[in-house]
Amino acid sequence: FSRICSICEPAVVTQHSQPRRLNPVAEFHTTQVAPKLELASKYRGLENNVWVEFIQLALEEKPLNLGQGLPDDLVPDYVINSLRDVINDPSIFMHQYTRGFGHPRLVSAISQLYSKLLNIGHQIDPNKEVLVTDGAYEALF
């Protein structure tokens, strides 16, 4: 087989002179999107990283995933009641997304904690020096 681009899976396999499409997403990517949306040169090589390897290993080995937070117990009543209170709160501020870099109270608390723990002699600026992400991989970009 031949790779169409480093981002897509192999898209075409020639077998007995008949091309066979393996990945319609790759075909679309190579024919319509690639010329318009090319990976920036500073990100080239990052498509091969430890997380890609972990995903491939997980697909092959089928391990028990302990990282998804899929509880096997009922949600406690206090959590359900707290959620009910938030849902029924008439304030529009309770029904909005938080700021993209982390909730203000959270980044302030992180700033205070790490300013003390790191003993750096100044207060970490919560709005400029603290970033909250959904995970380490997201923080890279």
Side-chain angles (χ1 to χ4, degrees), residues 67-104:
Q68 293 297 319
L70 302 172
D72 60 355
D73 200 359
L74 297 174
V75 177
D77 286 338
Y78 74 90
V79 173
I80 293 171
N81 292 335
S82 296
L83 181 58
R84 184 179 297 118
D85 292 344
V86 170
I87 291 170
N88 291 323
D89 192 311
S91 170
I92 62 168
F93 298 111
M94 296 301 280
H95 302 281
Q96 302 294 314
Y97 287 112
T98 189
R99 68 188 270 274
F101 305 112
H103 191 279

Side-chain angles (χ1 to χ4, degrees), residues 17-138:
S17 301
Q18 295 292 327
R20 181 170 52 105
R21 301 285 175 203
L22 293 179
N23 185 340
V25 173
E27 180 182 354
F28 175 77
H29 173 76
T30 57
T31 59
Q32 299 191 21
V33 178
K36 296 177 186 175
L37 302 173
E38 209 166 301
L39 189 63
S41 61
K42 67 181 179 179
Y43 296 117
R44 287 209 165 74
L46 292 177
E47 65 272 7
N48 298 319
N49 60 59
V50 67
W51 302 112
V52 173
E53 291 179 37
F54 280 149
I55 291 167
Q56 187 60 42
L57 279 172
L59 290 172
E60 293 169 7
E61 303 296 328
K62 309 272 190 252
L64 175 62
N65 187 345
L66 300 175
Q68 293 297 319
L70 302 172
D72 60 355
D73 200 359
L74 297 174
V75 177
D77 286 338
Y78 74 90
V79 173
I80 293 171
N81 292 335
S82 296
L83 181 58
R84 184 179 297 118
D85 292 344
V86 170
I87 291 170
N88 291 323
D89 192 311
S91 170
I92 62 168
F93 298 111
M94 296 301 280
H95 302 281
Q96 302 294 314
Y97 287 112
T98 189
R99 68 188 270 274
F101 305 112
H103 191 279
R105 284 177 48 197
L106 175 60
V107 294
S108 291
I110 292 170
S111 165
Q112 290 175 10
L113 175 67
Y114 279 92
S115 293
K116 290 177 187 172
L117 286 176
L118 296 175
N119 195 22
I120 55 177
H122 71 277
Q123 182 71 25
I124 295 172
D125 185 332
N127 295 315
K128 294 181 181 178
E129 298 177 292
V130 177
L131 172 66
V132 176
T133 67
D134 291 332
Y137 192 72
E138 179 186 344

